[in-house]
Amino acid sequence: MHTLPQLSYAYNALEPFIDARTMELHHSKHHQTYVDKLNAALAVHPELASRPLDDLLAHLVDVPEDIRTAVRNHGGGHSNHSFFWTVIGPQHSAGTPDEELTQALIRDFGSFENFQKEFNNKALGLFGSGWTWLVRSGETLSIITTLNQDTPITGGQLPLVALDVWEHAYYLLYQNKRADYVTAFWNVIQWSEVSARFARTNA
Ligand code: MN
């Protein structure tokens, strides 16, 4: 059985950038629903119970057809949100990318500012519901978007940064002003976590 991961910070810890009410609903309701619906789908195929979720998502074509869409949507939702909660956190611990990640960002985007600009543009340009990602594939870092709860893992890419741009992630505080939410996001990215993740992909 998959379970809702606990956050390592309080619901109000990301204020004023992401409000407590949004965090509570997003984690305890939206994310919980993905977990519940994933478990309901997997209950039909107990032989999959021991497979790590990201392994199922990386090999969706091997998932039985009758639950493939449910695993893609709700398994993706569980994986994406579990990852997202670790990328964001209190502003006081946000920090900056370490030297190794900084050099990789400069190599692939020209500068940190260009990386930021491209990330913002992709997040703002995404039509409908989905995610914006910094991913690694091979030696290259790039920014991609996925629709709905699709994950870069399915395409063999390693996520380093995720931004949820579903309206449920920002509507209470920002209403239709997605740009303000995307701008606020930069204050809460936990760069030590992202840098550590990048280092692990080098191993
Ligand atoms: Mn969400």
Side-chain angles (χ1 to χ4, degrees), residues 33-53:
T33 300
Y34 295 122
V35 171
D36 293 345
K37 292 190 171 175
L38 171 64
N39 284 330
L42 291 175
V44 179
H45 286 280
E47 74 277 12
L48 298 178
S50 61
R51 294 268 304 276
L53 176 58

Side-chain angles (χ1 to χ4, degrees), residues 10-114:
Y11 286 138
N12 66 3
L14 282 65
E15 293 199 351
F17 307 106
I18 303 178
D19 60 300
R21 182 82 178 126
T22 296
M23 286 299 296
E24 182 178 1
L25 286 168
H26 200 175
H27 178 255
S28 72
K29 303 294 185 200
H30 290 280
H31 189 169
Q32 182 69 60
T33 300
Y34 295 122
V35 171
D36 293 345
K37 292 190 171 175
L38 171 64
N39 284 330
L42 291 175
V44 179
H45 286 280
E47 74 277 12
L48 298 178
S50 61
R51 294 268 304 276
L53 176 58
D54 286 353
D55 186 40
L56 293 176
L57 292 167
H59 304 97
L60 265 183
V61 288
D62 298 333
V63 173
E65 204 175 351
D66 59 330
I67 63 163
R68 193 178 301 151
T69 300
V71 170
R72 177 178 177 175
N73 290 339
H74 303 297
H78 179 33
S79 173
N80 291 345
H81 286 86
S82 298
F83 180 74
F84 181 52
W85 306 135
T86 68
V87 168
I88 58 175
Q91 184 186 31
H92 66 75
S93 57
T96 55
D98 71 5
E99 188 56 26
E100 195 183 11
L101 179 56
T102 298
Q103 290 309 320
L105 289 169
I106 291 170
R107 180 194 66 206
D108 292 338
F109 299 97
S111 66
F112 184 81
E113 291 66 32
N114 283 349

